[in-house]
Amino acid sequence: MIEKKEFPQGFLWGASTSAFQVEGAAFEDGKGLTVADVRSAKKKDLQMDTTVSVDHYHNLEEDVLLMKELGMKSYRFSISWARIFPNGNDKEPNQKGIEFYHSLLDLLKENDIEPIVTMFHFDLPMGLVNQYGGWVSRKSIDDFVYYADFLFTEYGDKVKYWLTINEQSVIVSMPDMIGIDIENNSKQEVLKKAQIANYHMSIAQAKVFKLCHDKLPNSKIGPAISYLTALPATMKSSDLFAAKQLDDVHSFTLMDIAVRGEIPKYYKVMLENAGIFIEQSEEDIKTLKEGTADFLGVNWYCTTIVKKKEHYEERSWIYDQIEMIKDKDLLYTDWGWNLDPVGLRYALQRLNDRYPNVPVMITECGWSQKEQLEDGKVHDELRIKYLKEHIYQMYLAIEDGVNVIAFNPWSFIDILSSSDGMEKRYGLVYVDRDDFDEKSMKRYKKDSYYYYQDVIKTNGSTLIEEFSK
């Protein structure tokens, strides 16, 4: 008999969102102000803000039923820190916020969907920024642990998989996302503050890893890391090394810290070359060693092709030493991200080479495009192509020996893009609204919804068979 080719039994087919991008209700039921709210409000004349978004907060039951119909086995979402603690470190939590996430978790359980919960996804409470500057201060470490401890106590019996911080390297490279003033500080000072914040987030995360292991021994916890996968524009060693350095700074440094429990030497050297010195105490070294991840969550979208600049400042940061190049043979979104599915297999193999047998969750992976609703339908052929080819390459990576346990593409439903509003659509489910008109807010299943539904139903076997012919 020929063995049926499919994904491993129990594979977590799902999809992802984040609180500030879908919930709306930004100023309802006691929720506090966040950096994400402030950032989006500054651009409300250009795009949708967080006030209503796609109103997941008031459409919880309908949205979870759509997840159930899709066949989702998991749902990766985030809890808004400021919906639980409006100022980030209040003595008493916000009861309405607590109840909202209990309602969501209970609905997921009723529909046999495994929650994968992110604690912090781009929406730092402004209260912490106003009190002491947010992550730039060491005070943030204790406040994040305090918040995490509450989540473990309140929801620990309902959540098996936890994610700590979403795309730490992205918010470090865009430091206004954590409340750092980028207008009234020099470029060097902003870089320094961002890297100090990076260090504090890493210490806080290690403490939370250990806390989870001590408090919830049956749960698993890991980071959600932006996995860049840089490729050299040429075979020149300067371009190869630039691609490696970009990967190291953006992705592997944080993976090394999370899995190996130490800050890699190459990262320290890069900091020093940029004129940044971070003192690491013996206590911090011990903290990192004692708190390591059970798995790696990776947000992977595309490859990034880079070329080393001919001229750059000697002590500049790696992002200022390179330029991004487009490959004329690849498809690109309107926002410059390519469709390079073999890159995913390559990226997953690199993870397995570096961290053998560490389980991997793909916590984001998706295709953005402008879309129109036509007679109640959305024909998103390119998203189907993206999903089909990336899922197959993921299957090949599993056959290679990579322990991929979940696939949660971005995003389940159309969301507020943090930089590009509602025009940049990622969802499997279309929401009838645009940047400036809420319209009906009705949900419509896109063609990709039905395609992914069949993939889940057959555990990938139909897709694999198609490629095997």
Side-chain angles (χ1 to χ4, degrees):
M1 293 180 62
I2 298 175
E3 184 180 358
K4 182 181 179 182
K5 294 182 178 180
E6 60 182 357
F7 278 76
Q9 293 301 308
F11 189 79
L12 293 175
W13 296 104
S16 292
T17 66
S18 85
F20 86 91
Q21 293 174 282
V22 294
E23 283 180 5
F27 308 103
E28 294 183 36
D29 291 340
K31 177 186 163 293
L33 188 69
T34 72
V35 174
D37 296 325
V38 172
R39 286 183 81 248
S40 77
K42 289 179 179 179
K43 297 186 287 184
K44 65 181 180 182
D45 293 335
L46 302 173
Q47 63 183 57
M48 177 174 74
D49 64 16
T50 59
T51 306
V52 176
S53 185
V54 295
D55 204 20
H56 178 60
Y57 191 83
H58 295 113
N59 291 275
L60 206 55
E61 292 188 9
E62 178 186 0
D63 288 347
V64 173
L65 286 176
L66 282 167
M67 296 177 199
K68 176 67 174 179
E69 185 180 347
L70 179 57
M72 285 168 55
K73 310 301 180 187
S74 60
Y75 175 43
R76 184 248 170 156
F77 66 96
S78 73
I79 289 176
S80 172
W81 189 343
R83 204 177 285 285
I84 302 297
F85 293 108
N87 294 295
N89 54 6
D90 309 73
K91 290 184 178 180
E92 296 296 328
N94 174 33
Q95 196 60 40
K96 288 285 188 180
I98 295 169
E99 291 169 2
F100 172 74
Y101 294 111
H102 271 302
S103 297
L104 173 55
L105 289 167
D106 290 343
L107 281 168
L108 293 174
K109 183 178 180 181
E110 289 169 15
N111 290 283
D112 299 315
I113 300 170
E114 187 79 57
I116 302 171
V117 178
T118 312
M119 298 177 180
F120 170 50
H121 191 131
F122 294 175
D123 53 356
L124 183 69
M126 277 301 298
L128 301 183
V129 176
N130 295 332
Q131 288 172 52
Y132 51 68
W135 286 111
V136 177
S137 168
R138 280 194 72 99
K139 293 179 181 178
S140 61
I141 297 172
D142 288 341
D143 283 340
F144 186 66
V145 174
Y146 171 71
Y147 164 58
D149 191 24
F150 178 84
L151 296 186
F152 293 153
T153 300
E154 188 69 31
Y155 304 116
D157 61 336
K158 298 180 179 181
V159 179
K160 179 179 178 182
Y161 295 107
W162 296 91
L163 296 163
T164 45
I165 299 173
N166 180 74
E167 294 192 339
Q168 188 171 318
S169 60
V170 171
I171 53 183
V172 169
S173 63
M174 300 175 65
D176 65 320
M177 296 183 80
I178 46 174
I180 294 175
D181 186 350
I182 61 175
E183 295 178 0
N184 298 306
N185 284 287
S186 67
K187 188 174 182 179
Q188 180 65 16
E189 188 63 22
V190 168
L191 176 61
K192 181 179 178 181
K193 287 184 176 182
Q195 293 303 322
I196 290 171
N198 199 27
Y199 181 72
H200 292 158
M201 282 187 272
S202 296
I203 299 298
Q205 177 174 258
K207 285 178 176 284
V208 170
F209 285 162
K210 185 177 186 302
L211 180 64
C212 182
H213 295 149
D214 292 344
K215 196 161 187 171
L216 301 173
N218 295 321
S219 291
K220 304 293 182 184
I221 190 165
I225 292 175
S226 174
Y227 189 10
L228 201 61
T229 309
L231 304 176
T234 72
M235 289 307 294
K236 290 181 179 178
S237 57
S238 58
D239 290 349
L240 285 163
F241 191 57
K244 180 189 182 299
Q245 284 188 304
L246 184 58
D247 273 344
D248 284 344
V249 164
H250 194 86
S251 304
F252 288 128
T253 291
L254 295 175
M255 294 184 197
D256 284 353
I257 293 171
V259 174
R260 296 172 175 170
E262 61 184 20
I263 297 175
K265 177 67 174 176
Y266 64 79
Y267 172 64
K268 294 179 183 178
V269 170
M270 293 178 77
L271 285 176
E272 291 172 6
N273 287 341
I276 300 170
F277 301 89
I278 296 175
E279 292 186 13
Q280 188 178 21
S281 68
E282 290 298 320
E283 184 63 29
D284 285 350
I285 292 171
K286 182 171 180 274
T287 294
L288 291 175
K289 277 295 182 189
E290 289 180 344
T292 55
D294 300 306
F295 63 89
L296 282 172
V298 295
N299 297 354
W300 196 96
Y301 288 87
C302 60
T303 52
T304 300
I305 304 166
V306 302
K307 180 178 178 59
K308 189 81 166 186
K309 291 179 180 177
E310 288 187 20
H311 304 288
Y312 56 89
E313 291 183 19
E314 187 65 29
R315 295 170 69 84
S316 61
W317 196 235
I318 182 63
Y319 295 101
D320 297 319
Q321 299 178 21
I322 59 173
E323 56 182 309
M324 309 297 184
I325 305 295
K326 278 193 174 184
D327 185 333
K328 60 180 177 58
D329 295 324
L330 295 177
L331 285 172
Y332 281 81
T333 71
D334 289 334
W335 296 271
W337 290 15
N338 65 37
L339 195 159
D340 190 6
V342 176
L344 176 59
R345 184 183 184 185
Y346 168 66
L348 291 172
Q349 281 202 10
R350 291 183 75 194
L351 287 187
N352 203 46
D353 291 345
R354 196 171 183 121
Y355 315 107
N357 303 316
V358 173
V360 176
M361 277 191 181
I362 296 179
T363 40
E364 290 182 27
C365 182
W367 181 261
S368 60
Q369 60 186 49
K370 299 174 183 178
E371 292 171 338
Q372 295 294 325
L373 186 67
E374 301 172 3
D375 297 323
K377 300 182 184 300
V378 176
H379 304 298
D380 52 343
E381 294 89 352
L382 279 178
R383 183 170 294 109
I384 292 174
K385 175 180 174 65
Y386 181 98
L387 286 170
K388 180 188 297 185
E389 295 185 10
H390 284 77
I391 290 171
Y392 182 64
Q393 292 297 325
M394 177 175 62
Y395 165 75
L396 293 178
I398 293 172
E399 290 290 286
D400 295 333
V402 186
N403 186 16
V404 184
I405 62 174
F407 180 66
N408 291 270
W410 189 263
S411 55
F412 163 67
I413 196 168
D414 286 339
I415 50 100
L416 161 64
S417 168
S418 56
S419 299
D420 301 290
M422 197 67 188
E423 189 177 44
K424 186 180 185 181
R425 293 181 183 263
Y426 278 99
L428 300 164
V429 174
Y430 183 91
V431 180
D432 183 26
R433 73 153 298 167
D434 60 30
D435 277 319
F436 305 109
D437 186 349
E438 293 177 22
K439 297 184 179 179
S440 71
M441 299 287 281
K442 187 175 178 181
R443 277 71 165 134
Y444 293 88
K445 304 162 197 170
K446 301 180 187 179
D447 288 356
S448 59
Y449 178 101
Y450 294 107
Y451 175 77
Y452 190 43
Q453 183 183 55
D454 182 68
V455 171
I456 297 173
K457 184 178 180 181
T458 63
N459 200 26
S461 62
T462 303
L463 181 154
I464 297 165
E465 184 179 350
E466 180 182 345
F467 278 94
S468 301
K469 289 179 181 177

